[in-house]
Amino acid sequence: MSAVIKLKNINKHYQMGSQVFKALDDVNIEIEENEYVAIIGPSGSGKSTLMNLLGCLDSPTSGEYYLKNSLVKDMTETELAQQRNKSVGFIFQSFNLLPRVTAHENVMQPLVYRFITASKRKAMALESLKRVGLEDKVNHLSSQLSGGQRQRVAIARALVTKPHILLGDEPTGNLDSKTTKDIMALFDQLHDEGHTIILVTHEQEIADHCQRVIRLVDGKVVNDSRKEVLHV
Ligand SMILES: Nc1ncnc2c1ncn2[C@@H]1O[C@H](COP(=O)(O)OP(=O)(O)O)[C@@H](O)[C@H]1O
Ligand SMILES: [Mg+2]
């Protein structure tokens, strides 16, 4: 098996006056195709910083990040945009939906820069919204949806490009337990379909659900354990 994600000696440092703050401190992680990973750790331990790097939304101060065997820092802007758009789907903690457009339009948004006809884009977005059980809310504006529904729109938007790797930064952060269960069932299904899933969470229940748990403290990986998976 080859790693879809490989981080080698990754540092993310911030200069704070005369001091250097190490948000990520010599992080080494390899993630194989179709792994189901939880990233845990106290607030401020570097989880979001790590996810932003994985999603190519930010770059490290030093170290190497290989995404599907390509060194990210060597990619051109175009290659980077392509990887960002095709390989990784990102579900943000704060949803990041456009407020004054419909669920349908929000989900179509990642397809805008592709050479796809408008009718195909609409069909793909609709399929993605069906997946998260929101087919009856297609024409609702974000402001007309509940927190759980907005989060599902954000997931539909991340899924619409059919990315291999799904990154979720506390994707069930502010949701009730029923919606959390539904969303976890959806992640399970996507995992069964072959996606690689990486979730930041502070909920033990979700971490228990994953097959591998990576724990960060002060920007360092202090624990990385895979569970035995029973093949029956
Ligand atoms: N732009 C920045 N400048 C300085 N410090 C930052 C910046 N971004 C994040 N940090 C610091 O890095 C640490 C890790 O942040 P973050 O990755 O958001 O933590 P987590 O998601 O685990 O709560 C925090 O202490 C935060 O204050
Ligand atoms: Mg965070």
Side-chain angles (χ1 to χ4, degrees):
M1 274 206 292
S2 91
V4 287
I5 281 173
K6 192 171 178 179
L7 299 175
K8 277 179 77 178
N9 309 111
I10 290 286
N11 291 298
K12 181 72 184 180
H13 294 174
Y14 293 109
Q15 191 74 41
M16 304 293 284
S18 60
Q19 304 222 308
V20 174
F21 179 82
K22 299 179 177 177
L24 292 175
D25 188 3
D26 196 29
V27 169
N28 290 278
I29 297 173
E30 285 191 23
I31 295 175
E32 308 284 340
E33 177 142 32
N34 199 215
E35 276 203 282
Y36 199 164
V37 185
I39 295 177
I40 63 169
S43 171
S45 57
K47 304 181 300 294
S48 293
T49 305
L50 177 62
M51 292 302 264
N52 289 337
L53 291 183
L54 293 179
C56 302
L57 304 171
D58 197 0
S59 46
T61 310
S62 61
E64 270 100 53
Y65 172 21
Y66 294 87
L67 177 57
K68 295 186 173 171
N69 294 317
S70 300
L71 187 56
V72 172
K73 69 180 171 197
D74 283 353
M75 289 179 193
T76 62
E77 274 302 311
T78 319
E79 284 169 333
L80 199 58
Q82 260 173 7
Q83 288 288 350
R84 221 186 271 134
N85 195 254
K86 283 190 176 161
S87 297
V88 280
F90 206 111
I91 305 156
F92 296 90
Q93 195 166 14
S94 53
F95 314 150
N96 276 32
L97 299 178
L98 304 172
R100 274 176 286 276
V101 308
T102 65
H104 203 177
E105 287 163 326
N106 262 299
V107 176
M108 274 191 282
Q109 196 216 331
L111 300 173
V112 165
Y113 303 103
R114 298 225 183 150
F115 294 103
I116 304 174
T117 61
S119 63
K120 174 84 177 150
R121 275 206 292 269
K122 279 188 181 162
M124 286 169 80
L126 190 58
E127 185 194 315
S128 202
L129 281 162
K130 274 189 186 151
R131 215 49 250 244
V132 300
L134 281 183
E135 59 269 44
D136 57 339
K137 299 279 188 272
V138 171
N139 294 316
H140 281 55
L141 305 179
S142 303
S143 55
Q144 298 167 330
L145 297 170
S146 70
Q149 290 164 343
R150 274 184 231 172
Q151 189 59 312
R152 282 190 277 162
V153 174
I155 294 173
R157 185 182 56 186
L159 293 179
V160 75
T161 57
K162 303 196 187 335
H164 296 122
I165 304 166
L166 267 174
L167 303 171
D169 193 349
E170 309 233 17
T172 58
N174 311 306
L175 304 180
D176 59 79
S177 59
K178 161 83 173 72
T179 316
T180 297
K181 265 208 175 96
D182 291 349
I183 287 179
M184 288 315 295
L186 180 63
F187 283 128
D188 287 355
Q189 214 177 8
L190 292 162
H191 175 247
D192 289 343
E193 287 169 20
H195 292 267
T196 306
I197 301 189
I198 307 172
L199 304 176
V200 166
T201 184
H202 60 256
E203 292 166 79
Q204 191 58 43
E205 224 182 308
I206 292 176
D208 289 345
H209 208 83
C210 298
Q211 294 171 348
R212 178 178 176 188
V213 179
I214 297 173
R215 183 171 166 78
L216 288 179
V217 174
D218 295 336
K220 289 193 185 70
V221 175
V222 296
N223 206 298
D224 184 351
S225 52
R226 282 191 177 90
K227 286 175 208 158
E228 288 295 319
V229 183
L230 294 175
H231 294 284
V232 283

